[in-house]
Amino acid sequence: MKRYVIIGGVAGGATAAARLRRLDEDAEITIIERGAYPSFAGCGLPYYVSSVIGERDQLLVMTPEKFRKNYAIDVWTETEAIAVDTAAKTVRLREKDGEESSLPYDALVLSPGGRPLRPRIPGIESSRIHELRTVPDADTLRSLAQQGRRAVIIGGGFIGVETAENLKQAGCAVTLLEAADHILAPFDPDMVPYLERELVQSGIDLLLGDGAASFSDETDALTITLQSGRTLTADFAVLAIGIVPDTAFLEGSGIARNERGYIQVDAHMQTSAASVYAVGDAVETRDYATGAPATLALAGPANRQARVAADNIAGLGTTYDGISYTSILKVCSLTAAATGKNERQLAREGLDYGKDYACVLLHPFSHVNYYPGAQQMALKLLFRKDGCLLGAQAIGRDGIKARIDAIATALRLGGTTADLSSLELAYAPPFGAPKDPVNLAGCIAENLRAGLVSFTRVRDLDAARASGARLLDVREPAELAADAIEGVTNIPLGSLRERYGELDKATPWIVVCRVGQRAYNAARFLRSRGYHVSVLMGGMLSYRAERGKATPPARA
């Protein structure tokens, strides 16, 4: 009889154990879990804090009792793995009472996860500074939230943003502190302002470009001194600045780790040690597109890696192809999703905008706007000059997941912008449009590649104007009265064919409208008359977003 040991539960370890049982009914399977809960919904913790998820039992996917009853899997809770001897094929364990023992294995799955990063900041050991990683963490924050206290969230990543939103919903006064210029690293600077504005409009105080320098416990509060010298006062803080792999127990085991401590695995999720596999937040796999080493702490990849590891232990020989960075989160009333690379990642890989890749940014509706409830979104598509898809980001109130999932699938299968333009996607008025936002993104990208349109990005607008370009706004005068860029020339699209002679043919013109559609039509006409013309990418919606006056995508 084979003996399989899994270190760590939650997404990776619990999935591997269940898959192993389905593949080998006779094996002896043991899960070693340092905490009290071997399988819980970690992604649901922020929503339990706000009581959106009402009962903690709803977070407990599998209890030790259910593992034993339904799968004949033994679970040792509150037991810590302290060493692995790969030569003897044993795991050294320490139980809650300090007693140590050794457990032999025929195959070992490592799923230790990560622990919250706690940098060496003076005062960071204060009892008023919390984390949100486990069920007990969520219990503590829920209790504090129910008292309506003042909270500072340190870190604007996924956990930080979700925690800020849910503490605010629970009645706390919330400040979100992010040391970088923007929150949510997967989203580029021309997209993320929508999310930042949404947080502010929801009553969250957002501080960007400033980090925590020190913490000080006062009689009844926590004082946070920022790098700028500003001070904040709170009843408690939540540290959410990232995780580090919890792999110190592997020291001396011979299991290869990278310089940051992540366990290195091959395509079968096998480590450098025979019969030892690793999955989840603590592993270094590879980038699906480039093959370069990569890490990603999300439940979806952890589940897929766990299945691959179990399959290989059972002899099925399946492989894990790597990560493509697909993610989604709720930001108050908005949904934000991304797949593939963003522009920062592409720059790190040595790709230059305009030379190696291009992008389009559009603002389509979630479904036809004659059907009630249509919601406008922001959708950005990144692609190589040959049309090969590189990444996408989408933000809006409706229909975001479906669009990112479609693009993520096409990207994973090596798709192109031409493929997006021709995808046959489901349509009925309540759900989409005959030309879906995904199709539109592909069509605009194909127009760009064919030379039918050129774009000026908002970030390049000032330089273009300084070089002599002028702005032509083709909206109606009433629209300009509500919101216009200073110094534009206004000729509405409906009058352009009669009035285009008013425009200097020697001047480069950048055409602008609300979102870009009218500007594109105008640009096509002007090109036919010999004008040098481009379209302001994303129109006024993108202009206001990037210039620091972002408003959430508008309701119909």
Side-chain angles (χ1 to χ4, degrees), residues 393-406:
Q393 299 157 45
I395 297 171
R397 291 188 174 87
D398 182 43
I400 298 301
K401 185 179 187 301
R403 275 60 190 226
I404 281 294
D405 281 347

Side-chain angles (χ1 to χ4, degrees), residues 159-483:
I159 293 175
V161 169
E162 290 174 340
T163 302
E165 175 187 342
N166 282 277
L167 285 173
K168 179 63 181 178
Q169 182 167 333
C172 292
V174 178
T175 297
L176 178 58
L177 182 65
E178 170 54 56
D181 291 336
H182 292 288
I183 61 171
L184 296 170
F187 297 90
D188 285 323
D190 52 4
M191 293 290 284
V192 75
Y194 295 110
L195 304 176
E196 293 166 348
R197 183 64 173 173
E198 177 72 6
L199 290 172
V200 172
Q201 290 185 339
S202 298
I204 294 170
D205 188 12
L206 181 61
L207 299 181
L208 299 174
D210 207 353
S214 66
F215 303 94
S216 177
D217 271 318
E218 310 300 336
T219 302
D220 57 356
L222 177 71
T223 296
I224 304 169
T225 301
L226 307 186
Q227 292 169 355
S228 64
R230 179 178 176 178
T231 60
L232 302 175
T233 301
D235 296 303
F236 67 96
V238 181
L239 200 61
I241 57 176
I243 65 168
V244 293
D246 199 1
T247 59
F249 72 99
L250 297 177
E251 193 70 34
S253 68
I255 296 171
R257 294 177 290 162
N258 69 12
E259 67 281 357
R260 295 187 296 156
Y262 286 89
I263 304 167
Q264 296 173 316
V265 295
D266 63 15
H268 301 288
M269 303 309 299
Q270 183 169 342
T271 71
S272 60
S275 304
V276 180
Y277 298 77
V279 303
D281 293 359
V283 303
E284 175 191 84
T285 58
R286 67 185 184 91
D287 183 302
Y288 176 80
T290 67
T295 62
L296 186 65
L298 291 175
N303 273 274
R304 290 186 288 278
Q305 293 163 11
R307 181 182 176 92
V308 170
D311 283 358
N312 282 284
I313 290 171
L316 296 183
T318 56
T319 59
Y320 183 70
D321 293 333
I323 56 179
S324 49
Y325 307 98
T326 303
S327 60
I328 191 168
L329 79 158
K330 177 181 177 294
V331 182
C332 302
S333 70
L334 294 179
T335 301
T339 190
K341 308 295 177 61
N342 59 32
E343 293 200 68
R344 287 184 298 276
Q345 290 171 297
L346 295 179
R348 286 197 295 268
E349 293 176 6
L351 274 66
D352 293 327
Y353 178 76
K355 176 185 175 183
D356 303 304
Y357 77 94
C359 74
V360 295
L361 200 164
L362 57 155
H363 298 278
F365 283 91
S366 56
H367 59 256
V368 290
N369 57 15
Y370 64 77
Y371 186 89
Q375 306 289 329
Q376 202 158 31
M377 67 179 71
L379 176 59
K380 180 178 181 179
L381 186 68
L382 296 157
F383 50 94
R384 289 186 181 274
K385 298 302 286 291
D386 63 2
C388 179
L389 299 176
L390 293 172
Q393 299 157 45
I395 297 171
R397 291 188 174 87
D398 182 43
I400 298 301
K401 185 179 187 301
R403 275 60 190 226
I404 281 294
D405 281 347
I407 297 172
T409 301
L411 186 151
R412 191 81 176 188
L413 297 176
T416 65
T417 53
D419 293 325
L420 296 189
S421 69
S422 62
L423 281 179
E424 184 175 329
L425 301 173
Y427 161 63
F431 308 109
K435 190 178 288 184
D436 190 85
V438 171
N439 300 134
L440 281 173
C443 289
I444 296 171
E446 284 295 284
N447 285 341
L448 178 62
R449 294 185 59 241
L452 297 178
V453 64
S454 62
F455 289 106
T456 297
R457 300 183 68 173
V458 172
R459 70 183 190 183
D460 300 323
L461 182 58
D462 289 344
R465 296 182 80 177
S467 298
R470 294 181 60 188
L471 278 171
L472 171 65
D473 196 317
V474 295
R475 295 177 296 159
E476 297 299 318
E479 295 178 84
L480 269 73
D483 185 25

